[in-house]
Amino acid sequence: MKEIKIESTLYIYQNLDELPKEAIELMQQAFEARENAYAPYSSFSVGAALLLDSGEVITGNNQENASYPSGLCAERTAIYYAGAQYPKAKIIRMAITAGSKKTQTTKPIPPCGACRQAIAEYEIKQNAPIEIYFMGETGKVAKSNSLANLLPLVFDKSVL
Ligand code: THU
């Protein structure tokens, strides 16, 4: 038996103002996208913004459904749109903000496992890391230089 250790690195910023200017701008677009979330069942709204290598920004938000599992998270709404509309573009950076309409979220909220898997697919497809910034409504912001840090032991095409 051999033990293996898996390490991930995240950077924690004290607040939005500490981020590089281009990341602040992308996060602001995630906040705007979050305003249009359709989340009548959970009252938890999420906004995501993706910067493409063309300079274009794609945004998405969570879309819920009376048949709960039919809904989709903000991150996948955005990334599948980017994949569908701009299949050749590379995604440089992603900003995510999430929070309940009932309470104020002050800590970084990471993307769910299914979204990490979806983002991983595009990171592998484009063979270049996607920077990910995520936060709640206010407070600290977490940054990962690559999705790979958020999903060790990814399931990918190499096993198919
Ligand atoms: N949600 C997202 O949009 N992204 C995530 O990474 C986690 C969860 C949405 C799905 C659902 O509409 C609501 O948040 C509560 O789970």
Side-chain angles (χ1 to χ4, degrees):
M1 195 275 278
K2 187 178 135 197
E3 179 179 309
I4 55 163
K5 285 207 163 59
I6 299 171
E7 265 191 14
S8 282
T9 303
L10 289 180
Y11 301 92
I12 307 297
Y13 296 82
Q14 284 310 304
N15 55 52
L16 191 55
D17 300 336
E18 252 191 26
L19 268 54
K21 187 170 160 281
E22 60 276 12
I24 296 177
E25 282 169 11
L26 196 64
M27 189 61 83
Q28 282 165 344
Q29 287 176 274
F31 270 97
E32 279 171 33
R34 185 169 167 260
E35 294 289 311
N36 292 330
Y38 176 60
Y41 304 106
S42 72
S43 296
F44 189 86
S45 55
V46 185
L50 304 176
L51 175 70
L52 305 183
D53 58 354
S54 62
E56 184 135 5
V57 172
I58 304 298
T59 60
N61 43 45
N62 49 328
Q63 297 294 317
E64 296 187 348
N65 193 285
S67 170
Y68 294 178
S70 300
L72 193 65
C73 292
E75 297 88 329
R76 277 176 288 160
T77 301
I79 209 159
Y80 287 146
Y81 183 87
Q85 297 294 327
Y86 304 96
K88 296 207 169 99
K90 285 192 175 177
I91 301 161
I92 307 284
R93 182 174 303 124
M94 184 163 192
I96 305 160
T97 171
S100 170
K101 288 192 179 127
K102 297 171 195 156
T103 53
Q104 206 190 41
T105 43
T106 55
K107 60 176 190 186
I109 299 181
C112 77
C115 288
R116 293 181 207 191
Q117 181 70 32
I119 300 165
E121 183 70 28
Y122 291 91
E123 188 168 270
I124 292 162
K125 178 187 170 208
Q126 70 182 28
N127 196 24
I130 300 175
E131 278 183 8
I132 304 184
Y133 290 87
F134 55 91
M135 65 181 296
E137 282 180 280
T138 61
K140 292 181 181 161
V141 184
K143 180 203 180 193
S144 173
N145 282 336
S146 161
L147 186 280
N149 284 314
L150 300 180
L151 190 62
L153 302 181
V154 67
F155 180 91
D156 65 15
K157 63 185 177 184
S158 68
V159 300
L160 298 177

